[in-house]
Each structure stands twice: as C-alpha cells, then as structure tokens.
Amino acid sequence: MKMNIPAGKSDMLNETIIDYIISLTHLYGLVHKDKVVEIFNLQNRERVNITILSGIMENTPDDLRKNFVEIYGDYFVHETIMEFDDFDEQLRKRSGKPHYIPARKELLKYKDGTYFEVTKEYRALLRYAIKNIFDGDEYAAEMLCEDVQGICQFDYSVPEIFEVFNTRGVDFKSEKQINEIMPLVMELANNTRIWENNGHTPQEIFEKYEKPHLRPLPDKPFEFGGADIIDFKSGRKIGRNDPCPCGSGKKYKKCCLGKGGESK
C-alpha cells in the first residue's frame, strides 16, 4: 500500500520508519505519534516530521497489521490492548512515567514480537531450572523460563506462575525447592520490561520514583500440600509460548490466553 510520504524520501527511510513504529509498539504496548517522531529523530540523521506519521496513520501499511499494530486516534497500539478493550486503562497506568529508550540496535530488535531482553535475573532462573528441575535438559528449562518471562511481562500473578509450572510438567520435590525458585521468579518479574511502565522495569520505576512498584514475595513461605495453585493436573496443556490453537499464527499468550477459553 502506498504511504503518504513527501517526495524525496527513500524507500529505505520509509522502511526504517515502519520498523520504528513496530518496535516501539511492541516495547511500549502503545505509543503516541509524537513520541515516534521524537525517538526516530533522536537516533537517525535523516529527520521525519508529524506529517509523515499522520500519512502513515491515514494509509496504514500492511506491515503494521502483520505485526499486530493498530491505529487508535493519535496512537499506534498493539492489537492485544485493543482486543481486550484495555486502551484507557493502559494509558492511565503509564501516566507520568518516562519512556525507556534503548540504543537504536537494541530498540529495533523489538520488531520481532517474541523478543525480550535476556537479563541476569532470567539467566539465574534458567540455571536453577536446568540444574534442579530438569536434570540438565536445557531446552525444557528454556521453554519454562520463557513462559515465566511472558507472565512477568504481560499478566503477572503467583497463580499464573504456578500454572506455567503445571503446564510444563514441573514436579516440585519439596517446599524448600518452591521457596528457592520463587525469589528467582520475583527477581525476574521486578527486572522485566513491561508495557504499563513505558518499557521500564518495576525496579527502574521504583528507583526513579521511590514508590512501592516492586512485586513482593508473599509474607509466608509457600506450602507444598493443599494449595490449589500447586495442585498439578495430568494431561498436556498449551504453553504460553506455543502456537495458539485458534490458528491465528500468534503465540497463545498474545492471542486467546485470558479470553476465557480452555486449552485442551
């Protein structure tokens, strides 16, 4: 589809603008067109203006749709937010928070909707899972940790975390093991970049505002017996990072998860 971009702008520039829109939408969940212009001009020699962004919004390129980016007013918005009618709430949660702006090379990695920053907290959880849960099976441990990271990024809760363990067939050996792994999960949660913080981690927002934005561990240790959240069920379930069974081509966590459907 032809974009309404002033003559003289190269195809490469046009493609780069689109890459920025997709990357920023994946990183922030939603982004105002003025912020796209600001960040693009901060990181590139060639400049764009609001007229170019307005033209893109009026004639939405197919690449945006293919990468789950929708237009809503003056914002580029991830389709997940629109599907759950969550725009106003998302806007409210991030009010007054600064935007995390990674270097250009890092930022453009977010064009891949499955990309996330692999932190030392993620690696710590992965090492523990490889050694203590999966007996050296690095692939199984990585699938678990990616699912946990997805929970931390989009809809964190302790029951959801334990449901991931359930889905991946984790059989905890003792209460001690649960209480060893949960602090690692919380550290990952507090150092994962999330939409409602404009790409900042809870830890970064805590340090900037000195407010209780961190995700705390429960006051009491987890009990090994009797808690529904660790009542592991039999049978294979769809993992958060598995293809959605609806056939959309998206990951389950970015599609039907949370819509009330059960995976079989």
Side-chain angles (χ1 to χ4, degrees):
M1 181 179 292
K2 185 177 181 181
M3 294 184 295
N4 183 20
I5 295 178
K9 294 291 183 180
S10 68
D11 289 341
M12 184 176 294
L13 176 61
N14 296 345
E15 292 175 5
T16 304
I17 295 169
I18 298 302
D19 287 349
Y20 263 80
I21 292 170
I22 295 169
S23 300
L24 290 170
T25 303
H26 287 172
L27 175 58
Y28 301 142
L30 59 86
V31 58
H32 195 279
K33 62 183 180 181
D34 290 346
K35 181 58 68 172
V36 176
V37 170
E38 175 189 332
I39 295 174
F40 185 93
N41 290 341
L42 180 68
Q43 297 186 342
N44 295 273
R45 289 185 178 181
E46 293 185 90
R47 296 292 187 263
V48 299
N49 55 43
I50 205 64
T51 301
I52 294 175
L53 269 293
S54 296
I56 291 173
M57 292 180 130
E58 291 171 5
N59 301 281
T60 308
D62 290 338
D63 278 352
L64 294 189
R65 297 190 183 96
K66 291 176 182 177
N67 286 276
F68 317 120
V69 178
E70 297 186 7
I71 310 298
Y72 187 75
D74 289 332
Y75 288 83
F76 298 97
V77 187
H78 196 284
E79 71 171 27
T80 300
I81 292 176
M82 301 307 298
E83 285 177 2
F84 288 93
D85 195 24
D86 199 29
F87 178 85
D88 291 338
E89 180 65 11
Q90 280 285 330
L91 206 58
R92 183 192 65 78
K93 287 180 177 178
R94 64 192 66 208
S95 178
K97 296 176 183 177
H99 286 74
Y100 165 70
I101 306 175
R104 186 180 191 274
K105 183 177 180 180
E106 174 72 10
L107 172 57
L108 292 176
K109 291 178 182 178
Y110 284 91
K111 183 181 179 183
D112 178 353
T114 64
Y115 174 76
F116 63 90
E117 182 180 344
V118 178
T119 61
K120 68 182 187 326
E121 291 80 15
Y122 177 88
R123 294 192 182 95
L125 178 62
L126 179 61
R127 286 195 299 270
Y128 183 92
I130 292 172
K131 180 179 179 181
N132 299 285
I133 296 179
F134 292 104
D135 297 323
D137 187 338
E138 295 184 9
Y139 178 78
E142 188 171 352
M143 291 300 97
L144 170 71
C145 291
E146 285 188 9
D147 282 350
V148 171
Q149 191 279 334
I151 291 287
C152 295
Q153 183 178 358
F154 293 107
D155 52 3
Y156 171 84
S157 71
V158 171
E160 283 278 354
I161 295 295
F162 276 97
E163 183 62 20
V164 167
F165 293 143
N166 176 29
T167 300
R168 290 295 175 184
V170 175
D171 184 14
F172 288 112
K173 299 178 177 65
S174 64
E175 291 180 21
K176 178 176 180 292
Q177 190 174 65
I178 295 174
N179 287 290
E180 286 175 347
I181 199 169
M182 286 309 295
L184 297 175
V185 171
M186 298 304 172
E187 280 297 305
L188 175 59
N190 283 321
N191 290 278
T192 294
R193 304 202 175 280
I194 58 177
W195 285 354
E196 66 187 61
N197 285 346
N198 285 326
H200 282 286
T201 69
Q203 180 67 47
E204 289 169 343
I205 291 296
F206 174 80
E207 291 172 353
K208 288 177 182 293
Y209 288 94
E210 297 184 353
K211 293 180 180 179
H213 287 284
L214 296 182
R215 291 154 168 174
L217 277 166
D219 294 334
K220 298 179 180 180
F222 293 94
E223 297 179 358
F224 188 64
D228 289 341
I229 55 178
I230 55 173
D231 180 18
F232 301 114
K233 305 171 186 177
S234 61
R236 183 181 180 277
K237 298 179 68 177
I238 302 298
R240 294 174 58 79
N241 284 316
D242 292 338
C244 189
C246 76
S248 67
K250 293 184 285 184
K251 285 190 174 186
Y252 180 47
K253 69 183 180 184
K254 291 189 176 181
C255 191
C256 290
L257 180 61
K259 296 182 181 179
E262 284 288 336
S263 58
K264 303 296 182 184

